[in-house]
Amino acid sequence: NGKMVAQMRMKSLMQTKEEIERSGALYDDLLDSFVEEGAKWSIDDPPQDDNECYWDYGEARCAWQRYCSFQYQFGDLHLSQSCRLRPKPLDK
C-alpha cells in the first residue's frame, strides 16, 4: 500500500509540474527563485538543515539529492516543505 501511495503521489506531482509548465504563469518566477536559492550552496557548503532543502521544479525532485530527499509529513503544504535532509548523505 505504501508503495502504491508513493507512486500515486509522484504521478500527481508530475501532472502538477506539467500543468505549471504549460501555463507558464508562475513557472518562470519559481524557476528564477530556485536557481537563486540553489546558488547559495556549493559542494563545499551543502545544506545543513531541512529548511535548506527545496523542491527543484525543473527536475521534479528535491534539489541536492545527495543530502536531501522527498519525505512527506502530514501538514506539509507545498513540495519544498517535504524536502528534508537525509539521515546520512548518499555516497558520491
Side-chain angles (χ1 to χ4, degrees):
N1 273 342
K3 189 173 183 178
M4 182 184 289
V5 170
Q7 289 173 337
M8 290 172 54
R9 193 173 288 141
M10 185 54 85
K11 183 177 179 182
S12 175
L13 295 174
M14 293 302 292
Q15 289 172 338
T16 301
K17 176 186 174 281
E18 289 171 6
E19 289 170 9
I20 291 170
E21 286 176 340
R22 273 196 303 272
S23 74
L26 221 358
Y27 188 70
D28 290 336
D29 291 338
L30 285 173
L31 185 59
D32 289 344
S33 68
F34 284 112
V35 167
E36 289 171 15
E37 268 190 64
K40 288 195 277 187
W41 298 286
S42 70
I43 293 171
D44 298 327
D45 186 26
Q48 299 296 312
D49 63 39
D50 291 344
N51 293 325
E52 294 178 348
C53 293
Y54 62 92
W55 185 258
D56 180 337
Y57 283 87
E59 296 292 322
R61 64 182 186 192
C62 295
W64 292 96
Q65 283 289 293
R66 181 169 182 224
Y67 303 99
C68 304
S69 64
F70 187 81
Q71 302 172 44
Y72 175 80
Q73 291 181 2
F74 182 77
D76 289 347
L77 300 176
H78 55 80
L79 296 171
S80 285
Q81 288 179 329
S82 296
C83 292
R84 295 183 167 79
L85 278 179
R86 294 177 184 274
K88 180 181 173 196
L90 297 176
D91 293 332
K92 289 185 179 181

